[in-house]
Amino acid sequence: MKVLVSDSLSNEGLEILKEHFNVDVCTGLSEDELVEKIKSYDALVIRSGTQVTQRIIEAADKLKIIGRAGVGVDNVDVDAATKKGIIVTNAPEGNMISAAEHTIAMMMAMSRNIPQANASLKSKEWKRSKFMGVEVKGKTLGIIGLGRIGSEVAKRAAGLEMKLMGHDPFISEKRAVELGVKLGTVNEIAKEADYITVHTPLIKETRNILDDEQFGLMKKGVRILNCARGGIINEEALERALESGKVGAAAIDVFVEEPPFDSPLLGHDNVIVTPHLGASTEEAQVNVAIDIANEVVSVLSGGPAKNAINIPSVKPEAMAVLAPYIRLAEIMGKISGQLVDGNYEKVEIRYNGEISGRDTRSLTVSALKGLLEMALGSGVNYVNAPALAKSRKIAVVESKSESAEEYSSTMSIKLTSAETTKQVAGTVVGDEPKIVSIDEDRVDIFPAGRMIFAKHINKPNVIGPCCLVLGKNNINISGMQVGRSEVGGVTMMVLNVDSYVSDAILDEVGQVPGILSAKLVTLLTS
Ligand code: NAD
Ligand code: MLT
């Protein structure tokens, strides 16, 4: 396997990659160069320097994973990667302390005019009154985004005896209390804070979260920080607020366009800037390089991705319980897909019993993968299965119930097409997937290989003639399971067969008196 590293990466990470793969490090490639180069690679490792565009992704025929050594994936077209079935993964923890420390450093430097005073003295000036500063103690710091970095900033600012306000729609009141943060809206923070720092991802909802309206509400002399992503604060609005004197100072590490050589912000004496240095510490670069290298090794060796952006990730401790259900879900998806003819319209996936209390997203994705793989081939994987279902207008409905009957956990897939509906239910026994019912028929099937599903009347002289048909066509039967029903009732027989069964032979089986239908179902992908 081949790995392309297109931004600089610490040696510690490169060494891990080199132990397993052929690694090429080529930095500073243009989009055209990457479009050409990417074709032969299985993994692409980047930092923030490489823009992984749709064009690059479309050209990447072998690519399985894009690994971002760092947090932000705004330089990757994640939708395009998802459609192509490429895992996008990041290393979100390795640089959070460095980014939080940089934010605090910028806040202190801005409060005491350290960069300006440094430049002044080095140009042989001795101007003590010009660089009068302010204390941060007792001042209110508004933190927008209280995730990994925002929380670390809060802890450190609490140590500086600042008052803390915060806004994050996804954190609980309990967590805010733990951090000593008073929660409020963005506009409430704008009105009350002396310092405002942003620590959200750059997404539709957070772009320009501080704009003219918010600057209008702020106290005169407010100090603004952005060590997250350019664009979270509207740079033109910030510039207007600096011009008007509303904003007293700003400390900016990240810009809409990097490098920001044409930005008017650089012309303001009260704006201090760094060239996207939040994660630039020896420790952070080693951490993210090691984390992303291990992630690439895991994925290219067929293992899970711990920090995938575009597939549900499963924590190792949960994996022990979920792994056999993930297999069950995929098998049930394959079986349902082959029992139903016509274009699929709706998949209803239900979890019953203990499994319903777990995070079942990875099971649902596996069921969709199994289902669509049979129709669309090997291009379907855990990454693109939900997107493919959506693009084909297949409605996916998930439901859960704690109640369970015979087994402590079961899952069922009800698949509806324009022509028919089938419901398959299964469980895990030991670590083995088992199908327990098909529609209303109760069965005990340990699914494997190729199987003939034959619905029949439970009466003498049905099973034998079916076996004769297969025997005379030289098809070996390696297993047989017959569903439970009273004599004369309708039930399901499953015959495991060792070779392919043609439509003509299936028709012959279907004509045996007492057989109502016969379908070949295969779990083999080739
Ligand atoms: P995170 O995912 O842990 O935290 C982001 C938080 O933002 C989450 O808690 C989320 O709930 C919150 N959020 C989402 N939408 C929001 C909204 N509309 N309003 C308020 N909060 C919202 O991410 P993180 O690891 O803390 O990283 C934060 C930012 O810092 C990212 O943009 C990342 O790219 C950037 N970063 C920059 C550097 C650097 O070198 N300057 C280094 C590391 C990370
Ligand atoms: C990140 O998102 O991790 C930072 O922007 C740091 C980097 O550029 O890698």
Side-chain angles (χ1 to χ4, degrees), residues 232-243:
I232 298 173
I233 299 174
N234 183 331
E235 287 179 356
E236 286 81 31
L238 173 59
E239 152 78 359
R240 285 188 282 274
L242 282 158
E243 282 290 327

Side-chain angles (χ1 to χ4, degrees), residues 244-259:
S244 72
K246 189 52 152 322
V247 169
I252 312 287
D253 182 48
V254 285
F255 301 84
V256 172
E257 238 188 84
E258 294 180 0

Side-chain angles (χ1 to χ4, degrees), residues 213-251:
E213 181 195 342
Q214 288 67 38
F215 286 113
L217 298 171
M218 290 178 199
K219 291 181 182 173
K220 190 164 166 36
V222 63
R223 290 177 167 82
I224 302 291
L225 293 122
N226 186 359
C227 294
R229 274 294 175 277
I232 298 173
I233 299 174
N234 183 331
E235 287 179 356
E236 286 81 31
L238 173 59
E239 152 78 359
R240 285 188 282 274
L242 282 158
E243 282 290 327
S244 72
K246 189 52 152 322
V247 169

Side-chain angles (χ1 to χ4, degrees), residues 367-417:
L368 292 176
K369 174 185 179 264
L371 178 66
L372 296 174
E373 204 173 32
M374 301 322 285
L376 305 176
S378 59
V380 182
N381 63 22
Y382 298 107
V383 179
N384 62 9
L388 287 171
K390 197 168 168 200
S391 69
R392 279 166 175 71
K393 305 261 180 306
I394 303 170
V396 180
V397 182
E398 227 196 11
S399 63
K400 291 183 171 191
S401 163
E402 281 177 12
S403 74
E405 290 175 3
E406 200 175 335
Y407 300 95
S408 60
S409 293
T410 52
M411 67 175 286
S412 68
I413 298 180
K414 187 172 172 189
L415 179 62
T416 303
S417 74

